[in-house]
Amino acid sequence: MPSSSNTTIVSRCTIYPDQKSSTIKALKLSVSDLPMLSCQYIQKGVLLTYPPYSINDLIKFLKRSLSVALAHFPALAGRLQTDSTGHVHIVCNDAGVDFIQAKARHLSIHTILSPTHVPECFKGFFAMDKTVSYSGHSKPLVAVQVTELKDGIFIGCTVNHAVTDGTSFWNFFNTFAEICKGSKKISKSPDFSRNTMLDSPAVLKFPPGGPKVTFSGDEPLRERIFRFSRDAILKLKLRANNSNFRSNSAEIFGKQSNDSWKIVNGESNGKVDPLFLKNNETAEISSFQSLCAQLWRSVTRARKLSPSKMTTFRMAVNCRHRLEPRLDPYYFGNAIQSIPTVALAGKLLSKDLSFGADLLHKNVVAHGDGTVRKGIANWEKEPRLFPLGNLDGASITMGSSPRFPMYDNDFGWGRPLAVRSGRANKFDGKISAFPGRDGNGSVDLEVVLSPDTMTGLENDDEFMQYVSEIV
C-alpha cells in the first residue's frame, strides 16, 4: 500500500491576498471557535484528473487564484493573537498562507483509489500535519499543497479549525476553485459579522505553551470509505420509520461532564419546552439519522462491548439556522455544537434499528434556538476546550456533512474524482460524512477504527448489506 513518505516537495512559497485588507482589521474568536484551539487543522482535499495544460501553468493559475480568494477571505491570511485581557483574535495582517508544490508521479489514480482501505499516501498530500490550531499564533492559518501524480492532481487544503468549521472551510475551498475556473465574481460571499450570540466576554485560559490534542494519535488505525447509494439509504430509512417500536419518550442516561448543554436523548431535562419535543416526536426519522443509527449499532457490535457499557454517538450540528434570528448561511467561523446521544450497548443491540435512530432523531429535533443558547451560557460559566477522542472505547464522533458541496470544487477541467482527508483529528471511532460523487442522496462515510473493530464491521452482515460495491 502506498505510504505517506512517497511525496517529494518541489517548492514552497507564501501567497498573499491580491488586495490589502482594509475593511476588516480583526475578528474575535467566538464561543464556538475557542474550544477548537486544541484541535488539529482541518485537512480536506480533492483528487482531479490531469489538467489539459502543463504543471507549471497549473501552479501559476492556482497561485493567482488563491491570492484573489484570500482577498475575499482576509482573515485566512492573518494570524491569531491573544490580547492583554486573554481574548483571542484573528488579526487580518495579510501575513499570507503557505503554498506547496509536491510530486508523487509513481502513484496513479487507480493505485490510490483501488485499495479497500484508504492508503497512507493521502496523508502525504497535506501540509501542516499534526499542527494544533493554537499554533495559528505563529503559523499560517492556511496551507495549500498541490501534488502531481502520474495521471492526476491532488489539491489538499489545510485550515485552522479555530478559524473555520466545515461550512466556512468548503465555502473558501469552493471559492478558490470558482476563481480558478474563471469566475470574476464569487457566488457565496462570507459574512464576517461578530455581533451575534456566539460573541462572548468569556476568557478561555490555556496552559503554558498552549493546549495539546486530547487523543493520543499513536494508536493503530484502519480507514475505509463505505459508499451508500440512495436506494440503500432509503431502505434504512424505511426500516427506521416503519418499525413497530417508536418510543414516546426517550430514556435519559445522564449528562456527560464535558457536554455544554442539557439535552441527552431528546429529553428537555427541564431546559427545553416539553411541548416543542412533543410536537416533533412523531416527525420522520431522516435518511442520515437512519444511516448513523445503523453505523452505531454495527460498530458497537464489532467492539464486543459489555451489555452494561454506555455507548455514545456524538454528532456535530450546524447552528447557523438553529439560532433566532438566524445567522447568515455563510457566517465565517465556527457555528457548531456537538450533540451526544447515549445508550447501553445491550439495549442498542437487543432492540431494532428504530431504537437508536429515534434517540438520534429526538436529539437533533430538540437542538433548537433555546438549546443552542443554553449551551453557550453553560460554556461561558465554564470555558473549556473540545474533548476530541474515544477515551472510554465506546464512543463514535460524526463530523463533516453530506450537505457540504465537496464535489463543486471544479478548478476548470472537471469535477473531483474523489474527496479525501489527511491525518488530522483521527482516532478510533472518528467518522466523516461526505456526499457521494453521484449525488442524488448517496453518501460516503469515511470510517476510522481500530484494526479489530474494522474487521468486525466489515464482517457485520447487517451493515455490509447496504454498502455499495467499489466500481
Side-chain angles (χ1 to χ4, degrees), residues 41-115:
Y41 279 49
I42 301 172
Q43 293 179 321
K44 294 289 189 292
V46 292
L47 177 64
L48 303 153
T49 58
Y50 208 91
Y53 31 79
S54 72
I55 186 66
N56 289 336
D57 285 342
L58 172 64
I59 295 300
K60 290 177 183 177
F61 295 153
L62 291 174
K63 286 181 177 179
R64 173 60 184 163
S65 301
L66 180 57
S67 177
V68 175
L70 289 172
H72 293 284
F73 291 80
L76 293 179
R79 298 291 185 271
L80 299 181
Q81 184 179 92
T82 301
D83 65 22
S84 59
T85 65
H87 293 110
V88 184
H89 301 260
I90 308 168
V91 179
C92 302
N93 59 2
D94 301 314
V97 307
D98 281 354
F99 185 94
I100 299 97
Q101 179 184 354
K103 62 181 180 180
R105 293 177 186 152
H106 58 290
L107 298 176
S108 68
I109 291 171
H110 175 76
T111 300
I112 63 177
L113 290 186
S114 59

Side-chain angles (χ1 to χ4, degrees), residues 181-198:
K181 193 176 180 180
S183 177
K184 301 300 182 184
K185 183 178 181 181
I186 67 171
S187 58
K188 299 169 183 176
S189 296
D191 172 60
F192 295 104
S193 300
R194 282 300 182 266
N195 56 340
T196 73
M197 268 298 299
L198 300 178

Side-chain angles (χ1 to χ4, degrees), residues 329-347:
Y330 300 106
Y331 166 85
F332 180 84
N334 287 274
I336 53 175
Q337 286 181 339
S338 178
I339 305 176
T341 304
V342 297
L344 294 171
K347 199 159 191 177

Side-chain angles (χ1 to χ4, degrees), residues 258-269:
N258 282 321
D259 298 326
S260 58
W261 44 88
K262 302 287 187 179
I263 298 301
V264 177
N265 291 3
E267 288 290 340
S268 70
N269 203 16

